[in-house]
Amino acid sequence: MAPRAFDAIVVGTGAGGSTAMKILCEAGLRVCALNSGQRIDPTKDYRGHRQVYDLKFRGYGNPLRLQGKAHQEPYSVEESEYSEASDLFEHDVAYSNAPGTDWYWKRCKATGGKANFWGRSSARFGDIDFKAADLDGVGENWPVDYAEMAPWFSKAERYMGVASTVQNRPSNPDGEYLPPIPWRCIDYIIQKGAEKIGVPYLPDRCAQLTVTHNGHPACHYCGNCSRGCDVGSFFSPTWFTIPDAEATKHLTLVTNALVRSVLVDQDGMATGVAYVDRATRREVEVYARVVVLAASCVETAHIMLNSTSRHWPTGIANSSGQLGRNLCEHLYGSPGYGYLPQLLGQPATPDNIADSTVAWMPRWQNVTNPREEKFIRGYSVYMGGGCGEFPGYYSQLEGFGSTFKRDITRYYPTPIGSLIQAPTLPSPTNYVDIDPETKDIFGIPQLRFHFQWGQNELLMWEHSKRVMVDLFKAMGGELWGMDDEPNRPGTSLHETGVCRFGHDPKRYVTNKWAQAHDVPNLYICDASIFPNCTDKTTTMPIVAFTMRTCDRMLENFKQGVHKRA
Ligand SMILES: Cc1cc2nc3c(=O)[nH]c(=O)nc-3n(C[C@H](O)[C@H](O)[C@H](O)COP(=O)(O)OP(=O)(O)OC[C@H]3O[C@@H](n4cnc5c(N)ncnc54)[C@H](O)[C@@H]3O)c2cc1C
Ligand code: SF4
């Protein structure tokens, strides 16, 4: 029997892939979605409402759980004892770091990907981002502008449900918002201090439902979002896009299918993909008229670099030589943490929303004059605190025994911390390639990272530390300290750039529609197309750009550029 061909294959069911599945299925296309790991079941796999004392290892997990795994490193926050019984995170497929690189690649292989556990910060990009090169003369403009993208951001926000306020800031275009998340006591104190030093402190744009939205219930503020929401009160593929795609009956979802390469015909066009069935370790081929890669930025480049053929000796659609290049990332780290003495002795309040990006300091540097600071572009800062379930500030206090425990209780409502989000600039020395020496346990050549922080983001890092000293003083706080150095690259999970889009086929991997210049029936629906990071996060834009790409793809089907299977 001849193998059945689909209209489209979508690789990955995260924010990008699941949005593509939904749109293409709703348009009547027959779609095969391939997901690297198992299907997530919120009733079993999200166990956020357990108390730490109910868990054998107090939430930290069995220290021996990764024994025998190819990739030994645990992932912070989202991977914990709360979801330990399930095999949600990638520890079978290892990766390499070139000498001097310390990239930390966290991967959720379950359906829905990382957006099951994401932080939900969802600001729009603006022309200050798309046309940054025009403003400061460095790098390249994006192939789109705000006027073109605004309707797609609106569409994404209306679907996802994003809580915020209208703020009229040039660095942060306003969108279509649900009511904002109510502020905590600390937010009002921080805002007053920030005002004194000329720094904005405003509600973040947060994809968390403050009211019932499109049939999804309003948040009940249990504060366990990073362990997965058991009622679907924030945007995640598990609760939104995947059920929508399945409701059409046009979707075939294959789990535990680790895609290794895109297959091509005699003309070098995509005909389908080859994947390894994790259970049997056998290679399987599946065919379609169009292939959509949405395996999450660097993994999309990994699949493309491994897709070599007579036509594409260095990886599919790589005639520009840009595949894997221009890896960008957010520099993360805490430029200041301490406490607010004015809150000592206050009773604990039920503001356990420490997991949410309730408020932030949107970029305020180089906004009117692009060269005002020693660095170009700009960064944003998130502030955390409030009465979280676990007193994370324990490591910032000294002592032991009963005095230490008393101190932890005494400080409970008072500690606050900060997190800088500083974009890197593209650099020829930051990229991914295939490690020529090493294959993973499935026989697939491993991805290798080459990455160092650049001077521009390190200047932002130093700047943010000085701002925190001033802020703590201005709000009457006491600064306990600041991180000695930034977090490891990869920590933010906002990497971009390795399949960047642009007009010139000689210099960019895809066109402005995220359609490979060389292979018109190959599309990309993740952050790998973004030429650089901004001071904002990537997920809502991934959804918006995916909606736009799929609209174009459907038009191409209509016009006969792509034929139905
Ligand atoms: C704790 C945390 C906090 C975060 N906070 C924020 C935030 O506040 N704002 C924000 O915008 N973003 C945030 N992020 C990042 C956000 O989760 C990602 O930007 C988003 O999930 C990316 O979507 P994606 O579809 O590209 O990738 P993913 O969500 O990683 O999905 C990729 C999918 O591809 C599948 N896959 C991978 N490789 C293969 C393969 N070879 N074959 C088949 N399938 C494959 C995976 O199984 C997965 O389903 C956060 C993430 C985490 C974990
Ligand atoms: S705080 Fe709200 S969005 Fe987060 S897990 Fe609880 S109910 Fe879900």
Side-chain angles (χ1 to χ4, degrees):
M1 200 167 73
R4 181 173 162 227
F6 292 88
D7 294 318
I9 289 171
V10 177
V11 178
T13 63
S18 69
T19 302
M21 281 150 52
K22 167 191 157 64
I23 294 171
L24 302 180
C25 284
E26 285 177 349
L29 262 55
R30 285 194 316 111
V31 175
C32 176
L34 299 166
N35 194 74
S36 166
Q38 69 182 43
R39 186 172 185 125
I40 227 166
D41 175 356
T43 59
K44 285 207 272 207
D45 299 329
Y46 299 158
R47 300 188 290 163
H49 288 179
R50 295 202 189 172
Q51 295 301 319
V52 167
Y53 47 76
D54 288 331
L55 299 166
K56 187 167 174 197
F57 299 100
R58 300 295 182 260
Y60 287 99
N62 184 345
L64 301 178
R65 68 186 184 280
L66 297 181
Q67 232 175 12
K69 291 284 184 187
H71 179 60
Q72 289 278 321
E73 208 173 11
Y75 303 143
S76 56
V77 195
E78 56 284 37
E79 184 182 32
S80 69
E81 203 172 342
Y82 291 89
S83 56
E84 193 166 282
S86 300
D87 187 21
L88 307 182
F89 298 92
E90 184 61 83
H91 290 290
D92 296 327
V93 178
Y95 61 93
S96 316
N97 273 324
T101 295
D102 185 26
W103 191 274
Y104 179 37
W105 191 19
K106 299 198 269 183
R107 289 156 292 165
C108 172
K109 66 182 178 189
T111 52
K114 297 189 291 284
N116 287 296
F117 310 102
W118 67 308
R120 307 167 302 288
S121 186
S122 298
R124 291 180 176 210
F125 299 158
D127 276 337
I128 196 166
D129 307 305
F130 296 141
K131 297 184 178 181
D134 276 355
L135 298 171
D136 56 35
V138 173
E140 338 224 345
N141 286 340
W142 293 39
V144 294
D145 62 12
Y146 184 69
E148 183 175 352
M149 284 313 299
W152 297 104
F153 287 142
S154 293
K155 204 168 173 188
E157 287 162 351
R158 280 200 294 267
Y159 178 69
M160 298 167 75
V162 180
S164 192
T165 53
V166 171
Q167 298 167 359
N168 295 314
R169 286 190 58 76
S171 65
N172 293 86
D174 291 306
E176 299 189 22
Y177 298 127
L178 308 180
I181 296 178
W183 274 17
R184 303 153 294 191
C185 193
I186 57 164
D187 294 308
Y188 292 101
I189 298 173
I190 298 168
Q191 190 187 40
K192 268 213 170 113
E195 216 169 67
K196 285 189 198 154
I197 61 166
V199 170
Y201 188 73
L202 296 162
D204 188 21
R205 298 26 171 112
C206 188
Q208 187 163 332
L209 307 183
T210 46
V211 292
T212 304
H213 181 69
N214 292 342
H216 302 282
C219 169
H220 57 261
Y221 301 110
C222 66
N224 277 308
C225 315
S226 294
R227 294 165 189 154
C229 182
D230 60 355
V231 292
S233 291
F234 67 74
F235 168 80
S236 77
T238 298
W239 288 105
F240 283 60
T241 33
I242 296 175
D244 281 0
E246 288 189 317
T248 65
K249 311 264 188 254
H250 295 311
L251 180 71
T252 303
L253 174 60
V254 186
T255 53
N256 291 315
L258 180 67
V259 171
R260 64 172 295 155
S261 60
V262 179
L263 303 168
V264 294
D265 62 15
Q266 64 280 11
D267 300 318
M269 297 299 109
T271 55
V273 302
Y275 70 86
V276 177
D277 178 335
R278 282 190 195 246
T280 61
R281 298 212 176 180
R282 279 177 43 199
E283 194 160 305
V284 182
E285 295 188 351
V286 53
Y287 306 101
R289 295 305 172 98
V290 160
V291 172
V292 179
L293 293 179
S296 196
C297 197
V298 282
E299 178 61 11
T300 285
H302 184 202
I303 295 169
M304 291 173 72
L305 287 163
N306 272 334
S307 305
T308 51
S309 60
R310 181 170 57 84
H311 275 280
W312 311 116
T314 63
I316 191 165
N318 192 24
S319 68
S320 64
Q322 291 298 311
L323 189 54
R325 315 298 304 187
N326 314 299
L327 175 63
C328 288
E329 157 70 338
H330 276 148
L331 177 147
Y332 264 27
S334 178
Y337 52 82
Y339 80 107
L340 297 169
Q342 57 270 54
L343 292 180
L344 278 174
Q346 292 288 323
T349 47
D351 60 356
N352 184 13
I353 45 173
D355 243 9
S356 309
T357 52
V358 180
W360 72 331
M361 296 168 175
R363 171 179 165 185
W364 69 93
Q365 324 87 37
N366 295 329
V367 168
T368 40
N369 171 2
R371 293 275 179 178
E372 199 173 350
E373 301 288 350
K374 288 196 183 118
F375 51 86
I376 56 163
R377 317 278 158 99
Y379 65 89
S380 51
V381 176
Y382 298 103
M383 300 295 293
C387 299
E389 186 181 54
F390 188 75
Y393 53 91
Y394 73 92
S395 59
Q396 291 154 14
L397 299 174
E398 283 184 6
F400 61 91
S402 52
T403 329
F404 183 49
K405 285 186 190 161
R406 235 191 344 264
D407 266 353
I408 288 182
T409 316
R410 189 165 85 88
Y411 283 111
Y412 187 54
T414 70
I416 54 171
S418 59
L419 179 71
I420 182 183
Q421 180 162 275
T424 69
L425 296 168
S427 153
T429 53
N430 289 344
Y431 60 98
V432 291
D433 64 3
I434 298 296
D435 186 336
E437 308 289 330
T438 331
K439 290 187 175 166
D440 67 28
I441 61 164
F442 302 106
I444 303 176
Q446 274 180 202
L447 190 65
R448 179 170 61 178
F449 290 86
H450 306 252
F451 190 90
Q452 305 288 334
W453 297 123
Q455 208 208 355
N456 198 57
E457 54 271 18
L458 290 172
L459 283 170
M460 292 186 197
W461 171 234
E462 292 308 320
H463 186 271
S464 69
K465 291 196 234 173
R466 290 193 295 276
V467 170
M468 282 301 132
V469 171
D470 293 345
L471 176 69
F472 271 78
K473 211 162 147 197
M475 65 189 174
E478 219 169 273
L479 192 64
W480 278 334
M482 51 190 66
D483 284 351
D484 294 334
E485 46 187 59
N487 297 160
R488 297 166 64 192
T491 301
S492 83
L493 297 165
H494 303 146
E495 66 276 7
T496 65
V498 287
C499 306
R500 64 176 185 175
F501 63 174
H503 299 301
D504 183 356
K506 290 200 183 69
R507 300 179 55 234
Y508 301 93
V509 178
T510 80
N511 65 18
K512 65 182 272 192
W513 308 105
Q515 183 181 19
H517 279 296
D518 296 336
V519 182
N521 67 340
L522 178 66
Y523 292 80
I524 296 178
C525 288
D526 57 34
S528 61
I529 59 166
F530 300 161
N532 53 271
C533 285
T534 71
D535 62 299
K536 296 116 189 159
T537 58
T538 46
T539 310
M540 188 281 284
I542 291 173
V543 172
F545 274 90
T546 296
M547 288 173 160
R548 174 175 164 278
T549 293
C550 290
D551 191 62
R552 175 73 174 187
M553 193 192 311
L554 290 171
E555 189 55 34
N556 282 340
F557 269 105
K558 221 194 256 164
Q559 300 299 330
V561 177
H562 310 308
K563 303 261 184 305
R564 296 286 303 269

